[in-house]
C-alpha cells in the first residue's frame, strides 16, 4: 500500500501515539521486554519491524491486545526519531496553522523526551526553541503548554547550557504569565514552576530571573500546595537560591522586607513544624537569610514555639539541618538576653553536647558559638557543666590548640577566641569553682591556652591569666593543680611548657 510522506507521518499524531499516550507504562514494559532480546535476534527483529507500514502500526496501536499496543507504539516512537520524521514533527509544531496538529505534535515530543537517549538528538534538532515557541503562543491549548513545559523540564535537566538557551529563546515571559494566573492552580502552573526550579540551579541566570519578578512570584506560590506536597519545598528552594545569590546586601534586605507582605512569617512558622525534613531545611534556609541580614527579627522571635521546633530539629541526625539551625540560632540570640533565655528554656542548651561531639567541623563550630552566648547567663552555667557542654568545649579546646583546628574558625571569631571567652567566664565565677575543679582535663586545657597566649604575647595582658590568678587565690586546690602543670601565675612570664 502506497501513501504520501506527509500523510504517513501524520499517523504519528493520530491513533498510534495519541492513543497510547495515556498508557505509557505499557510502552515502558514493552520496551523492557524488547531490550531483553539477545543482540542477534534483535537485529533480525529490527529488519522485520522496518517492513511494517506506518498505517499498519496505527491499526495495531488500536488493538485490544496490550502487547500489540505497546510494541506498535515503541516502533512508532523509534521511527519518529528518524531525521526526516523528527524534522516533520518539529516543523508541524512550529508552523502548522491547525491547532489540533500542533497539539498532537507536542504530545509526541513529550513522549519522545521521556527517553534519555532521545534528548541530545532532540536538542540538536532544535526542539528547545520549538517548545519555547509553544509556550509563547497564546493560541495553543493549555494541554499543549503543559506538555511543552514537561518536555522542556526533561531536556534542560542537569545542563546549564540548555537552561541558558531557553532563557535566550524567551521562556521567562510565558512562565511568569502561567505562574501568576488568578484561577485555581493547575498542572500547567506546577510544570511551569518545575522549569523555574531548574533555571534557579544555574547561577548565571539569577539576575534575569530576579528581573522578571520571580522572587515575589515564588513567595506567593510557596503558600500553595496544588494538592502536591512537593510544591512548597520547590518554591522555597528556588526562592532561597535566588536570595542567597544576590550580590548586593542592600538588595537582599530590600527583597526580604518585601517578602513580609506575602505572609512569610506565618509561612515559616507553619513549615518549620513539618515532618518533611527537606521542606524544613529550605524553611530554615529562608529564616537563616533573615537572621544573618538582621531583617524583621522581632517578628520571627515572636513565632510561638520557634525555639521548641529548633530544639526538636537538633535532636535529628541530620548534619545539614543541624548546622543551619545552629547558625541561624547564633544570629538570633546574639546580644538578645531575652531570646537567649527563651532558647535555653526550650532545652537547646541540653542539645549542645551532641552537636559539640559531631564529626562535622561546622556543626561543632556553630554549637560552640551558641554556647558562647549561653555562658553569659550565670544561672545556666551549672546546668551547662552538668549537661556535658563544658566538657565538650574543653575537648575541642585541646584539639584546636594541638592538631585539629576547626575548618570554619574564621566565620565570626576563631574557635580559640570563643573557648578563651568561655574559660574566662567560667573561671571568673567563684560559685562554680568547686564544680569546675571536678571537670576532667579542664585545668590542663586552661594551661594549654595560657601557654599559647604566652607564645603570642605577654601573659600580663591576658584576661584568662588574670582570672586564673584570682581564682587560685581563693582555691588552694586550684593553685596546687596549676603548679603541677608548671604554671606560676604570680610570675606570668615563667609559664613553662610542662603540658605537651
Amino acid at each position: 500500500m502506497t501513501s504520501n510522506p506527509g500523510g504517513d507521518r501524520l499517523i504519528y499524531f493520530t491513533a498510534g501515539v495519541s492513543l497510547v499516550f495515556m498508557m505509557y507504562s505499557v510502552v515502558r514494559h514493552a520496551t523492557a521486554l524488547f531490550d531483553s532480546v539477545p543482540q542477534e535476534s534483535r537485529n533480525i527483529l529490527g529488519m522485520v519491524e522496518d517492513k511494517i507500514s506506518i498505517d499498519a502500526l496505527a491499526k495495531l496501536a488500536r488493538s485490544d491486545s496490550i502487547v500489540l499496543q505497546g510494541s506498535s507504539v515503541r516502533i512508532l516512537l523509534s521511527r519518529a526519531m528518524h531525521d526526516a520524521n523528527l524534522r516533520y514533527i518539529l516543523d508541524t509544531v512550529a508552523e502548522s496553522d491547525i491547532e489540533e496538529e500542533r497539539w498532537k505534535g507536542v504530545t509526541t515530543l513529550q513522549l519522545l523526551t521521556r527517553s534519555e537517549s532521545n534528548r541530545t538528538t532532540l536538542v540538536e534538532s532544535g526542539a528547545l526553541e520549538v517548545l519555547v515557541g509553544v509556550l509563547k503562543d497564546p493560541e495553543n491549548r493549555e494541554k499543549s503548554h503543559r506538555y511543552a513545559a514537561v518536555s522542556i523540564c526533561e531536556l534542560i535537566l542537569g545542563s546549564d547550557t540548555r537552561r541558558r538557551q531557553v532563557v535566550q529563546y524567551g521562556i521567562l515571559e510565558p512562565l511568569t504569565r502561567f505562574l501568576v494566573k488568578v484561577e485555581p492552580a493547575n498542572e500547567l502552573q506546577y510544570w511551569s514552576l518545575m522549569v523555574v526550579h531548574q533555571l534557579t540551579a544555574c547561577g548565571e541566570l539569577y539576575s534575569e530571573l530576579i528581573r522578571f519578578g520571580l522572587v515575589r512570584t515564588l513567595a506567593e506560590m510557596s503558600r500553595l500546595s496544588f494538592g502536591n506536597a512537593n510544591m512548597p519545598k520547590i518554591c522555597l528552594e528556588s526562592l532561597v537560591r535566588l536570595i542567597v545569590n544576590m550580590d548586593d546586601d542592600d538588595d537582599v534586605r530590600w527583597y526580604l522586607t518585601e517578602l513580609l507582605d506575602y505572609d512569610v512569617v506565618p509561612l515559616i512558622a507553619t513549615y518549620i513544624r513539618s515532618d518533611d525534613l527537606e521542606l524544613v531545611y529550605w524553611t530554615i534556609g529562608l529564616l537563616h537569610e533573615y537572621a544573618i541580614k538582621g531583617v524583621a527579627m522581632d517578628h520571627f522571635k515572636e513565632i510561638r514555639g520557634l525555639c521548641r521546633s529548633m530544639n526538636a530539629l537538633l535532636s535529628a541526625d541530620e548534619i545539614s539541618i543541624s548546622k543551619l539551625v545552629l547558625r541561624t540560632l547564633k544570629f538570633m540570640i546574639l546580644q538578645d538576653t531575652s531570646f537567649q533565655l527563651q532558647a535555653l528554656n526550650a532545652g537547646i542548651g541540653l542539645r549542645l553536647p551532641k552537636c559539640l561531639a559531631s564529626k562535622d567541623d561546622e556543626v561543632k563550630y556553630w554549637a560552640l558559638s551558641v554556647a558562647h552566648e549561653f555562658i553569659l547567663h550565670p544561672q545556666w552555667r551549672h546546668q551547662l557543666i552538668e549537661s556535658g557542654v563544658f566538657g565538650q568545649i574543653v575537648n575541642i579546646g585541646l584539639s584546636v590548640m594541638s592538631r585539629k583546628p576547626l575548618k570554619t574558625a574564621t566565620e565570626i571569631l576563631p574557635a580559640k577566641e570563643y573557648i578563651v571567652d568561655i574559660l574566662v567566664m567560667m573561671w571568673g565565677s567563684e560559685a562554680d569553682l568547686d564544680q569546675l575543679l571536678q571537670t576532667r582535663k579542664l585545668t590542663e586545657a586552661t594551661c594549654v591556652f595560657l601557654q599559647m597566649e604566652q607564645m603570642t604575647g605577654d601573659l600580663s595582658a591576658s584576661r584568662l591569666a588574670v582570672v586564673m590568678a584570682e581564682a587560685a587565690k581563693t582555691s588552694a586546690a586550684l593553685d596546687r593543680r596549676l603548679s603541677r602543670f608548671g604554671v606560676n601565675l604570680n610570675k606570668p612570664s615563667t609559664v613553662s611548657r610542662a603540658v605537651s
Side-chain angles (χ1 to χ4, degrees), residues 14 20 98 149 165 210 215 236 243 260 263 266 308-309 313 315 317 362 367 373 381 413 432 486:
T14 56
V20 192
I98 304 172
Q165 276 183 277
I210 292 168
V215 171
L236 283 176
I243 291 174
L260 296 174
D263 296 328
R308 287 196 300 274
S309 296
L313 291 172
S315 68
D317 291 323
E362 284 193 61
E373 302 304 316
R381 290 176 193 158
L413 281 175
D432 298 319

Side-chain angles (χ1 to χ4, degrees), residues 159-183:
S159 172
D160 281 353
T161 300
R162 296 177 188 177
R163 290 166 181 153
R164 290 192 297 269
Q165 276 183 277
V166 294
V167 170
Q168 290 169 2
Y169 295 146
I171 197 174
L172 293 181
E173 186 279 322
L175 286 181
T176 51
R177 177 160 37 90
F178 299 145
L179 290 173
V180 298
K181 281 187 172 182
V182 294
E183 60 257 32

Side-chain angles (χ1 to χ4, degrees), residues 18 35 89 155 223 232 238 240 245 329 338 457 460 464 470 491:
S18 299
D35 288 342
I89 295 169
L155 292 175
R223 298 181 296 176
S238 303
V240 171
N245 288 282
L329 263 173
S338 176
S460 62
L464 182 57
E470 290 299 315
K491 298 179 181 179

Side-chain angles (χ1 to χ4, degrees), residues 319 322 326 352-365 367 392 396 406:
I319 289 177
S322 293
L326 289 167
L352 292 183
K354 179 179 178 181
C355 299
L356 289 164
S358 172
K359 294 180 180 179
D360 185 90
D361 274 0
E362 284 193 61
V363 173
K364 280 184 181 179
Y365 176 80
Q392 292 290 347
I396 292 175
L406 297 183

Side-chain angles (χ1 to χ4, degrees), residues 109-234:
L109 288 175
Q110 201 275 313
L111 274 175
L112 293 173
T113 59
R114 291 192 179 193
S115 173
E116 187 174 352
S117 62
N118 291 338
R119 292 173 191 168
T120 299
T121 301
L122 287 165
V123 171
E124 291 174 350
S125 300
L128 283 176
E129 188 169 10
V130 169
L131 290 166
V132 171
V134 173
L135 295 179
K136 293 165 71 174
D137 187 351
E139 298 299 320
N140 286 320
R141 65 182 70 177
E142 186 171 288
K143 278 189 177 180
S144 292
H145 290 148
R146 187 210 314 167
Y147 292 163
V150 173
S151 301
I152 290 169
C153 206
E154 297 278 15
L155 292 175
I156 67 176
L157 183 65
S159 172
D160 281 353
T161 300
R162 296 177 188 177
R163 290 166 181 153
R164 290 192 297 269
Q165 276 183 277
V166 294
V167 170
Q168 290 169 2
Y169 295 146
I171 197 174
L172 293 181
E173 186 279 322
L175 286 181
T176 51
R177 177 160 37 90
F178 299 145
L179 290 173
V180 298
K181 281 187 172 182
V182 294
E183 60 257 32
N186 56 25
E187 287 189 61
L188 175 57
Q189 285 179 302
Y190 171 81
W191 285 105
S192 297
L193 182 59
M194 291 300 292
V195 176
V196 169
H197 179 257
Q198 283 286 322
L199 298 179
T200 60
C202 178
E204 296 176 38
L205 297 177
Y206 291 138
S207 59
E208 192 72 4
L209 295 170
I210 292 168
R211 188 175 70 82
F212 267 83
L214 282 167
V215 171
R216 302 180 190 89
T217 302
L218 290 168
E220 177 64 30
M221 293 187 68
S222 60
R223 298 181 296 176
L224 308 174
S225 69
F226 304 81
N228 185 328
N230 286 326
M231 291 302 300
K233 60 188 171 191
I234 292 169

Side-chain angles (χ1 to χ4, degrees), residues 221-357:
M221 293 187 68
S222 60
R223 298 181 296 176
L224 308 174
S225 69
F226 304 81
N228 185 328
N230 286 326
M231 291 302 300
K233 60 188 171 191
I234 292 169
C235 289
L236 283 176
E237 180 178 356
S238 303
L239 181 60
V240 171
R241 282 175 177 174
L242 293 179
I243 291 174
V244 166
N245 288 282
M246 290 182 186
D247 294 327
D248 191 307
D249 283 353
D250 290 336
D251 286 346
V252 175
R253 291 187 178 90
W254 188 89
Y255 276 105
L256 290 174
T257 302
E258 187 179 54
L259 292 182
L260 296 174
D261 294 335
Y262 293 86
D263 296 328
V264 73
V265 176
L267 183 79
I268 287 176
T270 300
Y271 288 161
I272 201 172
R273 299 183 179 95
S274 172
D275 294 329
D276 186 332
L277 288 180
E278 191 176 351
L279 175 59
V280 170
Y281 177 82
W282 292 109
T283 302
I284 291 289
L286 183 56
L287 177 59
H288 171 263
E289 294 308 304
Y290 278 94
I292 64 175
K293 300 302 181 187
V295 175
M297 276 294 93
D298 289 343
H299 295 288
F300 291 104
K301 289 175 183 178
E302 291 174 0
I303 293 177
R304 187 174 181 179
L306 176 63
C307 288
R308 287 196 300 274
S309 296
M310 287 184 159
N311 185 42
L313 291 172
L314 289 175
S315 68
D317 291 323
E318 293 289 337
I319 289 177
S320 59
I321 290 180
S322 293
K323 67 177 70 173
L324 201 53
V325 168
L326 289 167
R327 184 176 162 92
T328 303
L329 263 173
K330 169 63 180 182
F331 285 94
M332 293 187 76
I333 66 178
L334 195 62
Q335 298 180 343
D336 188 334
T337 302
S338 176
F339 196 70
Q340 289 167 9
L341 290 173
Q342 187 177 330
L344 284 166
N345 288 329
I348 288 176
L350 300 177
R351 298 289 184 196
L352 292 183
K354 179 179 178 181
C355 299
L356 289 164

